[in-house]
Amino acid sequence: MPLIDYSVADGVCVLRLNAPPFNWITLPLLDELRVAVRRANLDAEVRRLVIMGDAGRFSAGADVALFRDIRSAEDAVRISRIFQEAFQEIEDSAKPVVAAVAGKTPGGALELALACHGRVCEPGTLFSMPEVTLGINPGAGGTQRLPRLVGVEPALNLLLTGQALNADAALALGLVDAVCSADDLVRCASSVETLRKTRESADRIADHTANAAALAAAVQRDAATGRPEFVAPSAIIEAVQTGLSESFEAGLRAEQDQFARCMATPATRNKIYVFFARRDLAKVPDLTGISARAVTRVAVIGMGSMGVGIAQAVMQAGLPVTVTDADPSALENGRQRIRESLEKRVAQGRLSPERLTKMLTLFSATTDWQEIGRADLVIEAVFEDVAVKRTVLGQAGRAVSDHALIASNTSTISLDTLAEGVKQPERFVGLHFFNPAQVMPLLEVIRRDGTSAETVASAMQFAKTLGKTPILVRNREGFVVNRIFIPYLKEAFSLLEDGAEASAIDQAMVAFGFPMGPLTLIDMAGIDILALTDAVLRRAFPWHGDLSAIVAAMVEGGWLGQKRGAGVYLYASGNRERRANPAAQEIFAAERQRAGKLPRTVGADEITQRLVMRMVAEAFRVLEEGLAQRESDIDAAMVLGSGFPDWRGGGLKYARDLGLENVLRQLEMLEKQLGKRFAPCKMLREIKGT
Ligand code: NAD
């Protein structure tokens, strides 16, 4: 099958990318594209070329697998050069070439469009240069053509943030020449009048003072991030600068060299590793050939923090949702919270008012189980209490039809314990959302031994319908994310008890790369939640050991975190500004004394080592127990579910990068000093040499 379909009508040659499902740009596709452009130039019938994809999709960009296979600087330069030369040939075409673009058009796809002499797009098109988020610079001419087309400042904004630009904004910036409907795309591309080579456009880069100011501001912003591990922003700035101060050709060479520089860094290689780890999550070999049952109507039981978010996520996916709660006031509250959250999206321009109106009609609240019974998926999100959950799951099972799925959003309880209340245990599955459910990208899909393959396939499909990344995990208390993350939060309290400052603990983990420190996070989630979840985990995994008595004292004193205005930190009302909470500090000191610990200074290195190694030790146990399908799934889950820095690759990849021999030594030492919770599992002892 050709990767480029060639057709000519009325003097217009349409080159249609034909590499389903995403039209990734691969080396064979580039070859065929070059051949097709030459053929069209020789074809007397052809006056103009139009490069396009299929309905609603131009191309999803360069195939990232190409980057994964790069082993040396020469490889990197070679790949970049192949792309640059192919796009150069398009730009050098004697007959005009217009790109007709649709859908998400990131990276290499946009660079292809930039090399054409004109561009048109459908109204829903989104342009972006997301390379920076993968830790690389665009290597196919993007750092050179984009500034020439739209100006240096807007180009740097796109290149350095990876943010997407919609069709109207692209038109206003001059990135496209026209926006037209899908059926009119070819005609529209055929009639673009101002055709020119992007590399020869000079008017947008003519103001040298403005260019210098934009570059200086970008350098400053990059320096302010304080992340020397990320070289991509400086690589982008360097390539843009070279192209402006020397020449387009010098800029292309700088792009190649900078690409090689980025690819040589561990941070970039880890980001690419996580990219593929995320992609592999959805692959479930033992479900091949099993068809998923479509979910068309959802019911959510329990309108607490999670139920509300789950209902909103369902509505955002365009599915109707019926909700219920034992407390009638929770229903109206839930409706109100969803409306407010969606209205915020409208105010931010992320949702149209028309879609909001439509979305709100998808919500209904009821106290009638018959109504709940009409759903083909019921999600239970009531209190984390075995008896309450069993009762609710029993009621749901009796109410629904024989084909409906029943799911629990429990964060810790084994599904086997809950399955006893369910009438159809083969259709019972765990759907563990993260808080806030309407935002967080990960969804743990938990299968018990008794869960049918069709149920698992349907749950995985449902997760994708919601736009979530599902990870399939086996059933054991805490599943994968909480099993690893709760011990980390718990260790933060052990550190407090040993004398570490709260702010030092948080700062150490932010410096490690987490978006926020563990104590800030637990203040957001609720300190009582840590006590509850830990109780379940500690029963199942005795080596986790006791939770610091600080937690019980804080719960008893009502210092639960942000929801009460104070926890580890004190929060000024109305905003999230915080300072030390003197009452909490008194508790830390009192518990330290009660535990007989002498005050000592706990340094940043000890904090980081204990917190990270606690996660690593537990992540290897999760791997050993076969709870995830593959090692990289655990890494992806740590990145998506708990904010482990992607540029460190997730906990297991981080350990592998450190060297397992080294990790083993650290864990053995920590075990000796602090106890069994750090003991390396058997598997880690055995694989350390591999
Ligand atoms: P919550 O206390 O905020 O809400 C629970 C809701 O369930 C309340 O509105 C309550 O009225 C309702 N409820 C209680 N008994 C009921 C019954 N018999 N019938 C109908 N409704 C009933 O709790 P939450 O934080 O939303 O947690 C709900 C579930 O989600 C728990 O299993 C929890 O472990 C899990 N979870 C929580 C989080 C989190 O961060 N909060 C994250 C993931 C999963």
Side-chain angles (χ1 to χ4, degrees), residues 488-506 518-520 522-523 527 530 548-551 554 567-569 581 584-585 587-593 595 597-600 602 606-607 610-611 677:
Y488 158 81
L489 298 176
K490 201 168 154 177
E491 193 62 27
F493 283 93
S494 300
L495 280 158
L496 278 177
E497 196 177 296
D498 287 348
E501 292 288 334
S503 57
I505 294 173
D506 279 345
L519 297 170
T520 306
I522 200 63
D523 259 3
I527 294 181
L530 175 63
S548 163
I550 290 176
V551 176
M554 302 252 325
V568 174
Y569 302 101
N581 176 6
Q585 286 183 320
I587 293 178
F588 307 157
E591 293 306 329
R592 211 172 280 154
Q593 209 169 28
K597 302 208 168 151
L598 295 173
R600 69 177 176 98
V602 183
E606 178 180 343
I607 294 172
R610 280 171 61 175
L611 288 171
R677 63 188 189 274

Side-chain angles (χ1 to χ4, degrees), residues 56 59 89 144 205 421 457 560 579 658 662:
S59 157
E89 180 155 355
Q144 304 307 306
I205 52 167
L560 300 185
R579 52 198 163 83
L658 275 184
N662 173 350

Side-chain angles (χ1 to χ4, degrees), residues 311-573:
Q312 185 179 332
V314 172
M315 290 157 72
Q316 283 168 193
L319 293 179
V321 62
T322 306
V323 306
T324 191
D325 197 291
D327 171 5
S329 70
L331 297 179
E332 202 36 52
N333 255 339
R335 185 199 298 269
Q336 195 53 32
R337 274 162 58 198
I338 292 174
R339 175 191 280 276
E340 282 166 12
S341 165
L342 291 173
E343 279 171 350
K344 219 163 154 190
R345 284 178 183 235
V346 174
Q348 292 163 341
R350 291 159 62 205
L351 183 70
S352 70
E354 297 75 37
R355 278 204 69 205
L356 168 72
T357 312
K358 216 161 144 209
M359 248 179 221
L360 291 174
T361 66
L362 297 169
F363 181 91
S364 61
T366 183
T367 49
D368 177 358
W369 278 95
Q370 259 186 340
E371 275 292 304
I372 298 292
R374 288 175 52 217
D376 37 29
L377 166 64
V378 179
I379 305 173
E380 166 280 302
V382 300
F383 299 139
E384 188 77 344
D385 178 289
V386 173
V388 177
K389 282 193 187 291
R390 274 192 185 152
T391 308
V392 164
L393 289 165
Q395 277 172 307
R398 286 189 295 278
V400 294
S401 74
D402 280 348
H403 69 264
L405 306 179
I406 300 189
S408 173
N409 180 47
T410 175
S411 28
T412 49
I413 306 170
S414 161
L415 293 192
D416 292 341
T417 310
L418 298 178
E420 287 173 30
V422 183
K423 201 176 99 195
Q424 314 82 346
E426 71 286 356
R427 279 186 277 113
F428 181 44
V429 67
L431 285 179
H432 180 223
F433 290 81
F434 294 83
N435 196 5
Q438 74 279 16
V439 174
M440 291 291 280
L442 191 70
L443 179 56
E444 278 180 314
V445 174
I446 300 121
R447 83 195 291 183
R448 303 170 55 238
D449 286 344
T451 310
S452 74
E454 189 198 58
T455 302
V456 176
S458 309
M460 294 292 282
Q461 187 54 47
F462 173 67
K464 288 181 216 162
T465 306
L466 294 191
K468 306 276 182 210
T469 307
I471 172 174
L472 182 58
V473 305
R474 293 214 167 265
N475 177 42
R476 190 123 199 239
E477 286 82 352
F479 318 116
V480 170
V481 174
N482 280 343
R483 169 74 182 278
I484 298 168
F485 201 55
I486 296 293
Y488 158 81
L489 298 176
K490 201 168 154 177
E491 193 62 27
F493 283 93
S494 300
L495 280 158
L496 278 177
E497 196 177 296
D498 287 348
E501 292 288 334
S503 57
I505 294 173
D506 279 345
Q507 273 162 20
M509 294 325 287
V510 171
F512 184 81
F514 276 84
M516 67 178 79
L519 297 170
T520 306
L521 187 122
I522 200 63
D523 259 3
M524 280 173 75
I527 294 181
D528 49 333
I529 304 280
L530 175 63
L532 289 174
T533 37
D534 176 62
V536 179
L537 294 188
R538 205 170 357 140
R539 262 198 306 279
F541 314 110
W543 64 86
H544 282 203
D546 289 341
L547 182 58
S548 163
I550 290 176
V551 176
M554 302 252 325
V555 172
E556 204 186 298
W559 308 110
L560 300 185
Q562 279 189 19
K563 58 185 168 190
R564 294 281 179 85
V568 174
Y569 302 101
L570 207 55
Y571 299 87
S573 61

Side-chain angles (χ1 to χ4, degrees), residues 656-687:
R656 285 195 180 276
D657 286 350
L658 275 184
L660 297 187
E661 196 77 58
N662 173 350
V663 169
L664 193 62
R665 237 182 301 115
Q666 292 194 44
L667 288 177
E668 284 169 348
M669 188 199 74
L670 289 166
E671 181 190 359
K672 229 179 265 162
Q673 289 171 356
L674 298 160
K676 280 262 164 270
R677 63 188 189 274
F678 285 100
C681 65
K682 188 161 168 274
M683 180 192 228
L684 177 54
R685 289 180 199 282
E686 282 166 3
I687 61 175

